Amino acid sequence: METLKDLYYRLSIRNRIALLCFCYSLCMIAATILGRSESYVIRWGSLAVFIFLGAFFGMLNVWGISGSISRVIVYLEKMANGDLTQKIVALRNNEISLIIKSIGKVQESMRTMISALQATSSELSGAAGNLRHTSETMARGAEAAVGQSASVVH
């Protein structure tokens, strides 16, 4: 059963809905044929089975889509809180998986930008240190020059 469910969830959402509509059409045909039966058990039993199957397949779609959307929300919330270390993996190959893969690309781009900003910040900090050192050296030289010119004037 788990294999069938996984196979079903690997279908695109469009194909899931098409399959659901196809099954619904078959159920309608079968309900029409079985509804003409003289037996109340067959008539009402088939109606109950088809209602159950419709609810089951509908809920299967809802569970599959809401589970995937919940994963997307968790990924986005972690990224919004600054956690870019999580591994973003698409489990299937449907429309929501494409969204998850795109989120993974955004996350990788953000990591790259942050790394570049950190490198630039380090370079800027080093350059500022060099500038401070040069300024201090120039200030000492200026003080020495002032001291020498003061001794010449006296």
Side-chain angles (χ1 to χ4, degrees):
M1 182 65 177
E2 199 63 33
T3 304
L4 283 175
K5 187 173 97 173
D6 187 55
L7 182 64
Y8 181 74
Y9 284 155
R10 286 185 184 273
L11 294 174
S12 69
I13 294 171
R14 181 183 316 157
N15 287 339
R16 285 188 217 172
I17 292 172
L19 181 61
L20 181 65
C21 290
F22 177 74
C23 289
Y24 179 74
S25 297
L26 290 179
C27 286
M28 292 297 290
I29 292 169
T32 301
I33 293 169
L34 294 173
R36 294 181 180 185
S37 172
E38 296 294 323
S39 169
Y40 285 109
V41 173
I42 291 175
R43 194 180 309 165
W44 294 106
S46 64
L47 180 63
V49 167
F50 295 139
I51 289 172
F52 172 78
L53 287 174
F56 173 75
F57 283 114
M59 289 310 296
L60 194 61
N61 275 330
V62 169
W63 289 327
I65 293 169
S66 66
S68 297
I69 290 174
S70 295
R71 286 185 55 228
V72 168
I73 291 169
V74 167
Y75 287 144
L76 291 173
E77 284 177 348
K78 286 184 179 181
M79 287 175 64
N81 291 327
D83 180 8
L84 299 178
T85 61
Q86 63 186 336
K87 178 84 171 146
I88 297 179
V89 179
L91 299 178
R92 296 179 178 88
N93 194 19
N94 56 36
E95 295 86 347
I96 295 176
S97 296
L98 293 175
I99 293 169
I100 290 174
K101 289 175 186 176
S102 296
I103 291 170
K105 289 177 185 176
V106 168
Q107 181 190 54
E108 188 58 38
S109 294
M110 289 175 70
R111 279 190 208 140
T112 302
M113 284 189 288
I114 289 171
S115 294
L117 282 172
Q118 287 173 336
T120 303
S121 175
S122 294
E123 290 173 11
L124 185 59
S125 178
N130 290 339
L131 184 59
R132 182 183 53 80
H133 178 69
T134 303
S135 296
E136 288 171 354
T137 303
M138 288 176 64
R140 282 193 300 273
E143 287 174 3
V146 168
Q148 287 177 356
S149 62
S151 66
V152 170
V153 171
H154 291 307

